[in-house]
C-alpha cells in the first residue's frame, strides 16, 4: 500500500520535511497543512531587510513548485486542531487526514503582553502579517517602544533607527540577553544600542500600555512615561503545541523527541522550533529557535517519517545570527559557561570573538563582526575540543603585531 506523509506546519521545517522526503526518493502522497494563508516564507528577513521598506515578502517556493514539482497537496489557512496517533489521523478543517508518517513542524508563537490585546499599534513580530503591520507603522514615522531587548526586539529597534526614528527599548532584566549569551556579553551587545542612538532602559518593567483605542503611551514601573505610536513586544516565543493536548505525545516545553526526532508515537516525528530533542553532542534535550537547526531537522524528520527504517540520530552545534545596526552577531554552542574570555579582537573595537568554557571543554563562541571566524569555533565544539585547545587555536588566529610598526 502507498505510504502517506502528512506535514503539519508550512514554514521552514515543514518545507524542508517535504523536500527532504522527495530528495530521499519518497514518491507517495504528501499533504502540507499550514495555519497561515501564506505559502512558506523565511522569517529572519522580517525583522531585518523587510522592515527597511522595500523588500518583497520572502517566500521560499512558488505554488507552482510546491504543487507542480514537489507534488504536494497544500492545505493552507487550515490549522490542525488535533492528533490521534492510535487512528493515525490529524484533524484539520473539519476533516480527518490519515497518515502513515507524520512530521510536526508547528514552530512557536510569539508571547504577548497580558492585557494589551485591545489596543491598536501593539504588535509582536513572528509572522509576515505582523511584519507588514510593523513596517506600515514605521513608514508612518512611528515613535517606537520595544518591550524586551532580545534579538528580534533589538533588530526592530535597529530598523527604526536606520530610518532616523526615535526608539526606546525597555528590558525588565538588569542586563539584556543573559540567557542567550551570558551577562558580560549581554552588556557588550547593549552598547550597540547606545551607539546606535536607541534609548535602552534596563531593569524596569512595563506597568501599562495606555491609549484610547490605539496605543499612545507606555507607563513604566519606575513611574516614567514614554509616548508611543508603535509598541513591539519582543518577549520570546512558546512552542505551538496546543493542538496536541490530549494526543498522548509528551509535551514539555515542546514536543519531546529522542535523538532521531521520533516522538514515540509510531511514525510521528517533530522538527524545528516546536521540537525538544535529545542532542547527542551535548548529552541533553534542547529546543532551539534557530533557522539552521529548523532547516536541518525538517529534512531529517521528513525523510525519517516518509521512509521507515531510515531515521538517524541528529546532532548539531546550535548556531544563530542577528543583525543590529551595522553589526553581525553570531553565536555557536551553548552559553551556560563557567568562564567567558575574549580570545580574538577586543570589545572596544566592536570586532571580537568571545569563548565560553564549561568544565575543560569549549562550550560556545560569540562573534561580533567576525564572520570569517565563527564557523571554525563551531567545528571545534563539534570535535569536543578542550578549552586549552580552543585558546591555542584562537592565539594562532590572532593578527600578528608587526614589530617596529609605529
Ligand atoms: P515556524 O517558522 O514558527 O513555522 C511554524 C509554522 O507552523 C507557522 O507557519 C505556523 O503558522 C504553523 N502552525 C502553527 N500551529 C499550527 C497548526 N496547529 N496547524 C498548522 N500549522 C500550524 N533564526 C536565526 O537563526 N537567525 C535569525 O536572524 C533569525 N531571525 C528571526 C527573525 C524573526 C522575526 C523570527 C520570527 C524568527 C527568526 N529566527 C532567526 C528564527 C527562525 O526563523 C526560526 O527558528 C524558524 O522559522 C523555525 O522554523 P519552524 O518551521 O520550526 O517554525
Amino acid at each position: 500500500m502507498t505510504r502517506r506523509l502528512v506535514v503539519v506546519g508550512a514554514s521552514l521545517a515543514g518545507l524542508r520535511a517535504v523536500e527532504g522526503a522527495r530528495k530521499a526518493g519518497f514518491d507517495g502522497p504528501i499533504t502540507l497543512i499550514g495555519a497561515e494563508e501564506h505559502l512558506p516564507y523565511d522569517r529572519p528577513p522580517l525583522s531585518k531587510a523587510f522592515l527597511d521598506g522595500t523588500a518583497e515578502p520572502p517566500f521560499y517556493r512558488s505554488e507552482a513548485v510546491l504543487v507542480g514539482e514537489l507534488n504536494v497537496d497544500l492545505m493552507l489557512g487550515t490549522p490542525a486542531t488535533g492528533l490521534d496517533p492510535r487512528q493515525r489521523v490529524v484533524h484539520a478543517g473539519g476533516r480527518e487526514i490519515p497518515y502513515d508518517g507524520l512530521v510536526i513542524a508547528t514552530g512557536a508563537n510569539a508571547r504577548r503582553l497580558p492585557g494589551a490585546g485591545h489596543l491598536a499599534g501593539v504588535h509582536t513580530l513572528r509572522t509576515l502579517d505582523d511584519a507588514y503591520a510593523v513596517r506600515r507603522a514605521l513608514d508612518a514615522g512611528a515613535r517606537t517602544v520595544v518591550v524586551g531587548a532580545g534579538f528580534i526586539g533589538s533588530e526592530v529597534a535597529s530598523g527604526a533607527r536606520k530610518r532616523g526614528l526615535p526608539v526606546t527599548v525597555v528590558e525588565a532584566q538588569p542586563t539584556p540577553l543573559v540567557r542567550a549569551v551570558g551577562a558580560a556579553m549581554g552588556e557588550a551587545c547593549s552598547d550597540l544600542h547606545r551607539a546606535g542612538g536607541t534609548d535602552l532602559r534596563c531593569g524596569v518593567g512595563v506597568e501599562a500600555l495606555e491609549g484610547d483605542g490605539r496605543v499612545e503611551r507606555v507607563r513604566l514601573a519606575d513611574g516614567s512615561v514614554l509616548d508611543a505610536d508603535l509598541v513591539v513586544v519582543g518577549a520570546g516565543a512558546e512552542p505551538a503545541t496546543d493542538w496536541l493536548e490530549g494526543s498522548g505525545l509528551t509535551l514539555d516545553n515542546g514536543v519531546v523527541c529522542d535523538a532521531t526526532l521520533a516522538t514515540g508515537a509510531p511514525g510521528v516525528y517533530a522538527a524545528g522550533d516546536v521540537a525538544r530533542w535529545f542532542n547527542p553532542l551535548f548529552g541533553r534535550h534542547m529546543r532551539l529557535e534557530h533557522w539552521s537547526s529548523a532547516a536541518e531537522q525538517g529534512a531529517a524528520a521528513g525523510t525519517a517519517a516518509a521512509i521507515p527504517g531510515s531515521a538517524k540520530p541528529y546532532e548539531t552545534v546550535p548556531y544563530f545570527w542577528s543583525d543590529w545596526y551595522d553589526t553581525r552577531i553570531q553565536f555557536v554552542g551553548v552559553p551556560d559557561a563557567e568562564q567567558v574570555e575574549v580570545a580574538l579582537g577586543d570589545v572596544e573595537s566592536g570586532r571580537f570573538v568571545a569563548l565560553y568554557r564549561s568544565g575543560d571543554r569549549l562550550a560556545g563562541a560569540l562573534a561580533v563582526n567576525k564572520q570569517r571566524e565563527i564557523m571554525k569555533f563551531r567545528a571545534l565544539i563539534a570535535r569536543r575540543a578542550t578549552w586549552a585547545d580552543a585558546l591555542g587555536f584562537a592565539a594562532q588566529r590572532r593578527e600578528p603585531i608587526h614589530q617596529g610598526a609605529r
Side-chain angles (χ1 to χ4, degrees):
M1 205 185 81
T2 314
R3 202 174 156 80
R4 295 157 299 188
L5 176 64
V6 172
V7 177
V8 184
S11 182
L12 174 61
L15 174 67
R16 292 299 162 90
V18 167
E19 292 177 333
R22 289 290 185 234
K23 205 167 158 204
F26 178 71
D27 61 3
I30 302 182
T31 303
L32 180 60
I33 302 172
E36 295 176 72
E37 298 281 353
H38 303 292
L39 291 167
Y41 58 85
D42 200 17
R43 286 178 208 274
L46 299 183
S47 49
K48 304 177 182 69
F50 189 77
L51 286 190
D52 292 352
T54 50
E56 293 293 313
F59 294 115
Y60 288 114
R61 306 276 178 267
S62 65
E63 189 166 346
V65 169
L66 282 165
V67 176
E69 292 177 25
L70 288 164
N71 200 8
V72 172
D73 178 15
L74 275 180
M75 287 178 65
L76 299 179
T78 315
T81 52
L83 166 68
D84 184 342
R86 285 160 296 278
Q87 300 297 321
R88 291 197 172 205
V89 291
V90 171
H91 298 269
R95 285 169 50 197
E96 288 188 349
I97 295 124
Y99 66 83
D100 300 291
L102 172 69
V103 177
I104 295 168
T106 44
N109 295 318
R111 232 176 255 133
R112 290 168 195 279
L113 275 192
H118 62 292
L119 288 177
V122 179
H123 300 282
T124 53
L125 183 41
R126 181 80 202 176
T127 66
L128 182 56
D129 295 341
D130 295 336
Y132 270 122
V134 171
R135 184 161 95 171
R136 272 195 302 272
L138 295 176
D139 287 346
R143 293 163 303 172
T144 304
V145 173
V146 174
V147 181
F151 286 105
I152 291 174
S154 295
E155 289 183 340
V156 172
S158 145
R161 288 301 303 141
K162 244 189 220 171
R163 293 165 174 251
L165 298 173
V167 193
T168 305
V169 176
V170 182
E171 168 59 54
Q173 299 300 317
T175 308
L177 297 175
V178 172
R179 273 198 310 138
V181 298
M185 291 302 123
E187 199 55 60
C189 291
S190 315
D191 289 343
L192 297 173
H193 281 312
R194 298 188 182 102
T198 292
D199 180 4
L200 174 65
R201 313 252 182 123
C202 292
V204 60
V206 169
E207 191 111 299
L209 304 185
E210 298 173 348
D212 187 7
R214 140 166 296 283
V215 70
E216 292 165 25
R217 289 170 304 279
V218 179
R219 190 173 294 282
L220 304 186
D222 63 3
S224 51
V225 175
L226 306 168
D227 291 331
D229 313 297
L230 168 68
V231 171
V232 179
V233 179
E238 280 165 359
T241 53
D242 288 7
W243 68 284
L244 294 166
E245 294 293 344
S247 65
L249 297 192
T250 307
L251 306 177
D252 178 11
N253 181 27
V255 179
V256 179
C257 309
D258 69 11
T260 69
L261 303 166
T263 64
V268 182
Y269 294 79
D273 286 14
V274 77
R276 195 155 80 81
W277 99 114
F278 184 82
N279 186 348
L281 196 58
F282 290 84
R284 61 168 127 132
H285 279 85
M286 288 183 173
R287 188 177 70 80
L288 303 176
E289 292 180 8
H290 304 163
W291 193 97
S292 54
S293 46
E296 290 164 2
Q297 289 178 1
T303 307
I307 300 171
S310 69
K312 292 193 205 81
Y314 167 77
E315 65 174 29
T316 193
V317 177
Y319 164 68
F320 70 84
W321 78 95
S322 186
D323 295 330
W324 303 16
Y325 310 95
D326 291 324
T327 298
R328 171 149 286 201
I329 299 170
Q330 294 164 292
F331 192 87
V332 293
V334 290
D336 39 351
E338 291 133 41
Q339 184 184 354
V340 179
E341 190 169 318
V342 175
L344 273 181
D346 58 81
V347 174
E348 292 68 38
S349 71
R351 284 168 51 80
F352 65 92
V353 175
L355 301 182
Y356 293 64
R357 174 179 72 78
S358 177
D360 68 346
R361 285 212 358 218
L362 175 67
L366 170 77
V368 173
N369 277 340
K370 280 276 188 192
Q371 279 159 258
R372 300 226 320 260
E373 303 296 336
I374 191 73
M375 289 305 160
K376 298 184 174 77
F377 291 98
R378 192 182 193 200
L380 285 183
I381 298 169
R383 292 209 305 270
R384 296 172 165 79
T386 64
W387 179 245
D389 284 347
L391 290 181
F393 178 78
Q396 286 168 21
R397 305 285 309 159
R398 268 180 223 137
E399 284 149 24
I401 300 164
H402 297 295
Q403 295 295 320
R406 292 280 179 271

